[in-house]
Amino acid sequence: MRKYSIIIPVYNRPDEVEELLQCLVKQTYTYFEVVIVEDGSVNKCEQVVKTFKDKLDIHYYYQQNTGQGFARNTGFSKATGEYFIILDSDALIENDYLSIVENQLNTEYLDLYGGPDRDHPNFTPIQKAISYSMTSIFTTGGIRGSKKNLGGTFHPRSFNMGLSREVYEKTKGFIITRMGEDIEFSIRAISLGFKSGLIPEAFIYHKRRTSFIQFYRQLRFFGKARINISRYFPNELKLVHTFPMVFTLGCFSIPLWYFIFTPFFYLGIIILSIYVLLNFLDSTFKNKSIEVGLLSIIAVFVQLIGYGVGFMSEGWKKLFEDKGFKQTGEQIEYPS
């Protein structure tokens, strides 16, 4: 049995932390500790943590706000386990999550792993729609939840990521705190010879954003982050990553084709209509809800256009900056 250290960076989300801790209390695998790193929150979760002192091996640390990447580094430095698991504070997990991870590592060891995300039955229709857009095969979200993905080698995401202590000691943790910190970390770890993979059964229920405005801001940030990763690893910018940009430009160019070349206008309308219909039918079938199916259409457009706008704006900025510039995200506020 290996000891796990579950590291949770928190920023102004005490209610969500309480729900996640309730999940951890119910774990069937019990050899673990919980490390909470409060990253400069005004609305602290310290009192919530205290209510779990007799239920969990839990440790609370407060620091000035530095961003989620560096908050995780603090968690790494305080952890006593031999294997670290990073979870976002807005995650929920099933009772056998740790047992699944332990069985996987005993069967086929991974130095670095990621797990997919799903929508919970109690999520609101908007949360389910957002979850659909972030995991659908019809969007770039589908790339993250498959062992063989179009983006190349599987790069675990930090909302649900595990790594050995050795990986931390060799990488020294995150060097970006915001703007693609988890992908940069994964690429760097893999480049050092560590084995990475997906554990499909080790999923989380990820709440994400609760409004389309918040979701747009987050995805615009993700688009910027993809460009930022290319500042560190230029070869990691794949053709598939440009899909949201192409989609965005295509959508906004359709009206212009009416005046330039009318057949292209109607062709664009037909293609877009088919795409909308596919997403609607797929989401409606998976969620067994017409309402979620309709909301998923909005979520898909928000996701792709938000990402595309962020991708283009940061890409344009990169054209005019010094070639050696590296963005760590310390001075950038994560969208709320």
Side-chain angles (χ1 to χ4, degrees):
M1 292 178 65
R2 58 177 59 80
K3 181 179 180 180
Y4 293 90
S5 294
I6 300 176
I7 298 165
I8 307 168
V10 185
Y11 183 68
N12 290 327
R13 293 187 175 186
D15 294 340
E16 291 181 348
V17 169
E18 184 175 11
E19 290 183 279
L20 176 53
L21 293 179
Q22 291 286 5
C23 294
L24 292 173
V25 168
K26 300 174 184 177
Q27 289 300 297
T28 55
Y29 186 95
T30 58
Y31 192 31
F32 67 92
E33 66 174 352
V34 182
V35 180
I36 303 287
V37 182
E38 188 94 64
D39 190 37
S41 301
V42 175
N43 190 12
K44 300 179 182 178
C45 69
E46 185 174 12
Q47 293 305 314
V48 170
V49 171
K50 286 181 179 179
T51 64
F52 286 87
K53 283 290 186 180
D54 60 343
K55 303 175 185 177
L56 293 167
D57 178 9
I58 191 167
H59 311 275
Y60 174 87
Y61 302 95
Y62 180 88
Q63 65 178 32
Q64 295 300 312
N65 182 261
T66 60
Q68 59 266 31
F70 295 164
R72 294 178 193 121
N73 286 347
T74 298
F76 294 154
S77 69
K78 304 293 185 180
T80 61
E82 59 188 286
Y83 208 96
F84 304 152
I85 295 176
I86 307 169
L87 295 174
D88 275 0
S89 60
D90 60 349
L92 299 174
I93 59 175
E94 291 286 359
N95 299 349
D96 59 352
Y97 176 93
L98 282 174
S99 295
I100 288 170
V101 172
E102 175 72 0
N103 289 337
Q104 168 65 42
L105 297 184
N106 288 335
T107 304
E108 182 182 358
Y109 188 77
L110 295 171
D111 302 292
L112 181 70
Y113 83 82
D117 56 328
R118 298 182 182 178
D119 64 299
H120 193 276
N122 293 333
F123 280 5
T124 67
I126 287 181
Q127 284 178 311
K128 289 182 178 180
I130 289 174
S131 178
Y132 169 79
S133 72
M134 290 297 288
T135 57
S136 171
I137 61 171
F138 296 114
T139 69
T140 55
I143 293 173
R144 300 174 305 105
S146 119
K147 289 185 177 180
K148 295 181 179 179
N149 62 84
L150 297 175
T153 304
F154 181 75
H155 299 141
R157 303 300 202 269
S158 54
F159 63 79
N160 182 13
M161 174 192 283
L163 60 139
S164 68
R165 176 175 287 277
E166 185 183 6
V167 170
Y168 163 62
E169 291 173 348
K170 291 286 180 63
T171 61
K172 306 301 182 185
F174 292 91
I175 60 174
I176 303 176
T177 193
R178 303 180 181 96
M179 284 191 78
E181 75 284 352
D182 47 2
I183 303 177
E184 188 284 329
F185 176 81
S186 296
I187 294 170
R188 191 156 39 88
I190 292 167
S191 71
L192 292 173
F194 290 111
K195 184 179 179 180
S196 169
L198 175 75
I199 305 180
E201 299 80 11
F203 63 86
I204 67 166
Y205 300 113
H206 202 185
K207 297 176 187 176
R208 300 190 182 278
R209 301 310 182 191
T210 56
S211 76
F212 288 131
I213 293 176
Q214 291 177 323
F215 187 48
Y216 173 82
R217 290 170 180 163
Q218 184 184 47
L219 266 294
R220 185 177 61 187
F221 193 84
F222 288 174
K224 292 181 176 182
R226 176 53 66 179
I227 294 295
N228 192 42
I229 293 164
S230 71
R231 292 184 174 113
Y232 291 81
F233 301 101
N235 293 333
E236 288 295 331
L237 192 60
K238 310 293 185 181
L239 184 62
V240 68
H241 299 138
T242 66
F243 171 65
M245 177 187 72
V246 174
F247 179 87
T248 302
L249 293 174
C251 286
F252 286 106
S253 69
I254 287 176
L256 297 177
W257 284 110
Y258 183 82
F259 302 100
I260 300 172
F261 189 59
T262 305
F264 277 10
F265 168 77
Y266 289 113
L267 179 62
I269 292 295
I270 291 171
I271 293 173
L272 194 60
S273 298
I274 293 172
Y275 182 72
V276 167
L277 182 62
L278 287 172
N279 278 282
F280 169 72
L281 293 175
D282 186 48
S283 178
T284 299
F285 175 77
K286 289 179 177 176
N287 291 286
K288 297 179 175 58
S289 168
I290 293 176
E291 180 186 10
V292 176
L294 291 171
L295 288 171
S296 294
I297 296 171
I298 300 173
V300 166
F301 274 79
V302 170
Q303 178 199 349
L304 294 176
I305 291 176
Y307 193 108
V309 169
F311 186 91
M312 287 186 286
S313 63
E314 194 70 18
W316 181 258
K317 179 180 176 182
K318 184 184 174 187
L319 291 175
F320 299 97
E321 66 192 18
D322 294 338
K323 288 188 177 181
F325 175 75
K326 298 287 193 300
Q327 175 61 266
T328 65
E330 293 176 80
Q331 305 302 318
I332 297 176
E333 185 176 352
Y334 190 79
S336 60

